[in-house]
Amino acid sequence: QVQLVESGGGLVQAGDSLRLSCGASGRTFSSYAMGWFRQAPGKERELIATITGSGVGRYYADSVKGRFTISRDNAKNTVYLQMNSLKPEDTAVYTCAASQYGLTIPRRPGQYDYWGQGTQVTVSS
């Protein structure tokens, strides 16, 4: 069982930066691929970034490529999402998730086994 807790959300202005953190319980954190999803009101949940267990492999959705960076510190059981040049359309609830497919880049929600509770990010124009 893995428990995930996000932090770092908040209200910022367009162009600002924000860093989200997701802390995980358990001693096998490095065996899990980690993903960040977001869901805006009235929209489907969107995978925006994924990182393999080792941290070598990464994936970004086109909507955030070049602005967001996913990273992880396996010694701290934490995955991060650095968000730069934020836009109002980035407003959403951001949720981290863990997948047992640690060597791969899981892209479907069904491939993730554990989910955090989510943190709100609001970007004002």
Side-chain angles (χ1 to χ4, degrees):
Q1 187 77 7
V2 176
Q3 293 184 326
L4 304 173
V5 180
E6 302 96 337
S7 61
L11 172 62
V12 297
Q13 293 186 333
D16 284 352
S17 297
L18 206 58
R19 188 176 81 157
L20 304 182
S21 299
C22 173
S25 64
R27 295 176 289 178
T28 59
F29 178 70
S30 62
S31 68
Y32 289 89
M34 299 296 296
W36 283 99
F37 291 78
R38 70 183 181 187
Q39 187 167 22
K43 294 188 177 181
E44 292 188 356
R45 183 167 51 191
E46 173 189 18
L47 173 66
I48 56 173
T50 303
I51 188 167
T52 57
S54 66
V56 171
R58 304 181 190 188
Y59 161 82
Y60 296 98
D62 289 342
S63 57
V64 305
K65 197 174 295 183
R67 299 189 298 123
F68 290 12
T69 302
I70 188 171
S71 62
R72 65 190 298 160
D73 185 338
N74 286 340
K76 296 182 178 180
N77 278 19
T78 302
V79 62
Y80 305 97
L81 186 67
Q82 177 67 43
M83 305 185 294
N84 298 330
S85 302
L86 282 162
K87 305 174 181 179
E89 50 263 44
D90 293 319
T91 295
V93 175
Y94 285 71
T95 305
C96 68
S99 170
Q100 64 177 318
Y101 302 105
L103 299 178
T104 67
I105 306 290
R107 299 194 186 187
R108 292 183 283 108
Q111 293 177 297
Y112 287 83
D113 305 285
Y114 304 101
W115 296 81
Q117 82 287 352
T119 185
Q120 176 71 45
V121 173
T122 303
V123 184
S124 63
S125 57

